[in-house]
């Protein structure tokens, strides 16, 4: 009797460079591939934001559809379930006599907690986790996780000096193991794309091929800080967030481009940014709950608070700062803004508006298609001065940023950052009387 295996998909929605699928393709087993849509993703959290906004929802469903079609071609089925993950998966394991659960190891504390709870409920089931969301496995790092450098630069230097090979895995041709359950409980429907980026691993592969087919990688460092323009940045973060593509694949594509075309500061900078992503992943694993703590990695809390009217103005793009307004309106409309725009908006919330950085991080979690728990909360702590920034926080002068990145007001006008009437920061005083 062959082993019965359940693969719990999470942020690993791909066939290419998926070590779990590569391993399963060589095993004699019966397999169910499962993705669970958690209803809590669409309910307000402690910061009155939903973990999944409309743009993320669309990208997710597109990604699930593409994977579903690819699995059908390989004789498999994608089972999409809706409900509390631990309860649902516990029931599946018991009903189908699952011998082993395989999954991609997670870096967020809530995701790790779900795995731990499921293990506790299913003591007779084998659980096998695979690290596939990073360039390196934990054992490949040139230091113990407890000795992770406090800042990025020493981390980067140690990792680069180690020169560990980065090699994506390949998926054997042919069919995957037969499904335990033949029909999908919730077939995913094809969703017409409403934005510039379409979810799915096929779409990710097409973008990877298109990006490295031209000269864009060799000019990346000079264009990456621009506020607008689809090709000024790589956009890989969107597909990386859902695991439609792997960091290893992108890194290897850069190396291939350097060998076949040119290697310069710009091509290196793409790898540099992937190493930043890598650092935040391991930092999140080490930081645990403190990644979400108001005081973060520091001993004292920031001198900021929460004012609902100020926060609403920031979210809606109705602050006294036209560039920030434009940034937030682009975010709300598209689900994406450039890295420079994120830094400016975050700095404004913390420094100009004096607000609790966690509300900004939660809003970005809701709105950004490419939300990644480690990068998002790590970067917000960085800006707020409670993270891994050796300078103790960053304050971006909005007037200077406007002059440098939008001197003609083209971006601000495009996203209607200017208001017809003078914006007032506060309409109520400290005791809620109208001003």
């Amino acid at each position: 009797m062959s082993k019965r295996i359940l693969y719990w998909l999470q942020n690993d929605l791909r066939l290419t460079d998926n070590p779990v699928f590569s391993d399963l393709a060589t095993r004699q087993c019966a397999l169910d591939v499962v993705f669970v849509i958690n209803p809590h993703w669409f309910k307000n959290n402690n910061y009155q934001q939903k973990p999944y906004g409309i743009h993320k929802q669309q990208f997710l469903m597109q990604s699930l559809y593409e994977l579903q079609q690819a699995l059908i071609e390989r004789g498999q089925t994608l089972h999409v379930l809706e409900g509390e993950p631990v309860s649902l998966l516990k029931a599946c394991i018991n009903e189908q006599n699952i011998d082993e659960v395989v999954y991609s190891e997670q870096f967020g504390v809530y995701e790790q907690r779900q795995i731990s709870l499921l293990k506790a409920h299913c003591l007779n089931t084998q659980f096998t986790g695979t690290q596939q969301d990073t360039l390196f496995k934990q054992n490949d790092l040139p230091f113990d996780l407890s000795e992770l450098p406090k800042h990025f630069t020493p981390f980067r230097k140690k990792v680069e000096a180690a020169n560990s090979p980065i090699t994506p895995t390949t998926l054997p041709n042919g069919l995957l193991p037969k499904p335990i359950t033949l029909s999908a409980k919730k077939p995913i429907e094809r969703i017409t794309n409403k934005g510039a980026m379409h979810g799915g691993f096929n779409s990710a592969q097409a973008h990877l091929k298109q990006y490295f087919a031209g000269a864009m990688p060799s000019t990346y460092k000079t264009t990456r800080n621009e506020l607008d323009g689809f090709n000024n940045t790589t956009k890989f973060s969107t597909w990386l967030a859902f695991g439609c593509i792997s960091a290893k694949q992108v890194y290897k594509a850069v190396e291939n481009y350097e060998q076949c075309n040119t290697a310069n500061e710009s091509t290196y900078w793409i790898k540099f940014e992937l190493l930043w992503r890598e650092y935040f992943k391991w930092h999140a694993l080490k930081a645990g709950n403190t990644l979400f703590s108001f005081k973060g990695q520091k001993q004292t809390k920031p001198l900021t608070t929460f004012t609902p009217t100020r926060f609403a103005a920031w979210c809606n793009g109705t602050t006294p700062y036209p560039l920030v307004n434009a940034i937030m309106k682009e975010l709300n409309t598209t689900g994406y803004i450039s890295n420079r725009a994120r830094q400016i908006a975050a700095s404004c919330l913390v420094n100009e508006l004096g607000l609790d950085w966690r509300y900004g991080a939660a809003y970005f979690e809701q709105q950004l298609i490419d939300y990644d728990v480690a990068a998002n909360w790590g970067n917000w702590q960085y800006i707020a001065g409670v993270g891994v920034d050796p300078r103790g926080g960053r304050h971006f002068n909005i007037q200077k940023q406007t002059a440098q990145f939008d001197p003609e007001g083209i971006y601000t006008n495009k996203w209607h950052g200017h208001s017809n009437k003078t914006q007032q920061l506060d309409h109520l005083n400290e005791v809620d009387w109208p001003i």
Side-chain angles (χ1 to χ4, degrees):
M1 183 177 179
S2 62
K3 200 169 189 179
R4 298 168 73 87
I5 298 177
L6 185 150
Y7 180 9
W8 180 12
L9 285 165
Q10 295 173 87
N11 60 334
D12 44 358
L13 305 181
R14 65 180 183 273
L15 291 181
T16 309
D17 190 32
N18 185 322
V20 177
F21 276 128
S22 296
D23 175 61
L24 290 171
T26 64
R27 298 175 66 175
Q28 295 295 321
C29 64
L31 171 68
D32 260 4
V33 183
V34 176
F35 184 90
V36 181
I37 295 176
N38 191 336
H40 288 289
W41 292 346
F42 315 109
K43 297 178 181 178
N44 284 345
N45 56 25
N46 293 341
Y47 304 103
Q48 297 303 302
Q49 309 300 319
K50 298 177 177 64
Y52 266 70
I54 186 65
H55 304 295
K56 281 173 68 177
Q57 290 181 44
Q58 176 180 291
F59 200 90
L60 169 64
M61 300 312 289
Q62 291 169 343
S63 300
L64 290 173
Y65 176 82
E66 284 201 3
L67 184 58
Q68 173 186 260
Q69 298 307 112
L71 287 173
I72 289 172
E73 292 175 5
R74 285 181 170 264
Q76 250 298 334
T77 303
L78 174 61
H79 300 279
V80 178
L81 312 179
E82 291 186 15
E84 198 283 315
V86 175
S87 299
L88 278 177
L89 293 172
K90 175 188 173 184
C92 288
I93 290 168
N94 291 332
E95 291 169 5
Q96 299 171 15
N97 297 314
I98 297 296
D99 300 301
E100 182 181 0
V101 174
V102 293
Y103 62 95
S104 176
E105 292 186 10
Q106 300 297 302
F107 288 83
V109 292
Y110 298 106
E111 292 79 7
Q112 292 173 40
R113 191 176 300 161
Q114 287 183 331
I115 293 287
S116 297
L117 284 172
L118 188 59
K119 287 180 179 179
H121 284 299
C122 305
L123 296 176
N124 295 323
T125 306
Q126 178 184 345
F127 284 81
T128 305
T130 301
Q131 290 179 337
Q132 60 164 314
D133 194 27
T134 49
L135 293 170
F136 312 104
K137 293 184 178 179
Q138 188 171 337
N139 292 337
D140 295 331
L141 295 173
F143 43 75
D144 188 80
L145 187 63
S146 62
E147 299 173 349
L148 179 75
K150 293 182 178 180
H151 307 301
F152 169 68
T153 299
F155 166 84
R156 175 182 59 80
K157 290 181 178 179
K158 287 185 177 183
V159 168
E160 288 179 336
N163 199 29
S164 300
I166 296 173
T167 308
T169 60
T170 57
L171 182 66
N173 293 324
L175 299 177
L176 287 166
K178 66 179 181 179
I180 298 172
T181 311
L182 293 177
S183 60
K185 293 181 174 64
K186 181 180 173 60
I188 301 299
E189 297 179 359
R190 187 181 187 94
I191 298 177
T192 304
N193 193 35
K194 297 178 181 178
M197 291 168 286
H198 190 283
F201 86 100
N202 285 325
S203 300
Q205 295 302 314
H207 180 70
L208 185 77
K209 182 178 180 180
Q210 179 265 335
Y211 183 80
F212 286 103
M216 288 183 287
S218 61
T219 60
Y220 170 74
K221 193 170 188 292
T222 60
T223 62
R224 58 181 288 273
N225 277 320
E226 297 297 322
L227 295 175
D228 210 0
F230 185 85
N231 292 324
N232 285 330
T233 56
T234 69
K235 299 297 187 297
F236 291 122
S237 61
T238 51
W239 290 284
L240 284 168
F242 289 85
C244 299
I245 197 170
S246 72
K248 285 183 179 180
Q249 264 198 292
V250 179
Y251 198 98
K252 194 66 177 179
V254 180
E255 291 187 328
N256 291 340
Y257 181 91
E258 289 177 329
Q259 292 174 2
C260 298
N261 297 279
T262 184
N264 60 14
E265 195 174 15
S266 285
T267 58
Y268 168 74
W269 214 258
I270 300 175
K271 295 187 288 187
F272 179 90
E273 296 290 359
L274 287 170
L275 288 177
W276 252 118
R277 177 184 184 273
E278 187 81 3
Y279 178 66
F280 274 130
K281 291 287 184 184
W282 298 115
H283 169 68
L285 190 60
K286 182 183 178 184
N289 288 329
T290 64
L291 188 67
F292 310 97
S293 167
F294 187 34
K295 66 179 181 180
Q297 316 308 309
K298 307 301 181 184
Q299 299 300 314
T300 57
K301 297 178 180 179
L303 297 176
T304 55
T305 185
F306 178 72
T307 307
T309 52
R310 288 191 177 194
F311 181 61
W314 181 82
C315 293
N316 297 326
T318 56
T319 73
Y321 311 104
L323 179 60
V324 175
N325 295 344
I327 290 169
M328 298 308 294
K329 288 178 178 178
E330 181 188 13
L331 172 62
N332 295 338
T333 303
T334 69
Y336 187 90
I337 48 176
S338 69
N339 182 63
R340 174 62 54 168
R342 298 177 199 204
Q343 292 176 318
I344 295 170
S347 175
C348 176
L349 180 133
V350 171
N351 298 297
E352 270 68 37
L353 304 182
L355 298 177
D356 183 337
W357 66 268
R358 295 173 299 176
Y359 284 83
Y363 191 73
F364 272 21
E365 177 177 351
Q366 173 182 277
Q367 297 298 92
L368 284 170
I369 297 173
D370 66 356
Y371 166 77
D372 175 281
V373 60
N376 184 69
W377 291 83
N379 269 309
W380 270 94
Q381 286 194 345
Y382 190 92
I383 293 290
V386 295
V388 297
D389 184 1
R391 285 165 44 180
R394 299 292 165 114
H395 188 176
F396 288 79
N397 184 295
I398 297 175
Q399 196 170 17
K400 182 178 178 181
Q401 295 293 312
T402 303
Q404 184 173 357
F405 295 106
D406 193 30
E408 305 298 325
I410 296 173
Y411 175 81
T412 299
N413 290 329
K414 176 181 177 179
W415 294 105
H416 309 291
H418 295 286
S419 176
N420 293 328
K421 55 185 178 181
T422 303
Q423 293 293 341
Q424 187 173 311
L425 187 57
D426 295 308
H427 300 279
L428 303 173
N429 64 17
E430 61 274 9
V431 292
D432 292 338
W433 281 91
I435 295 175

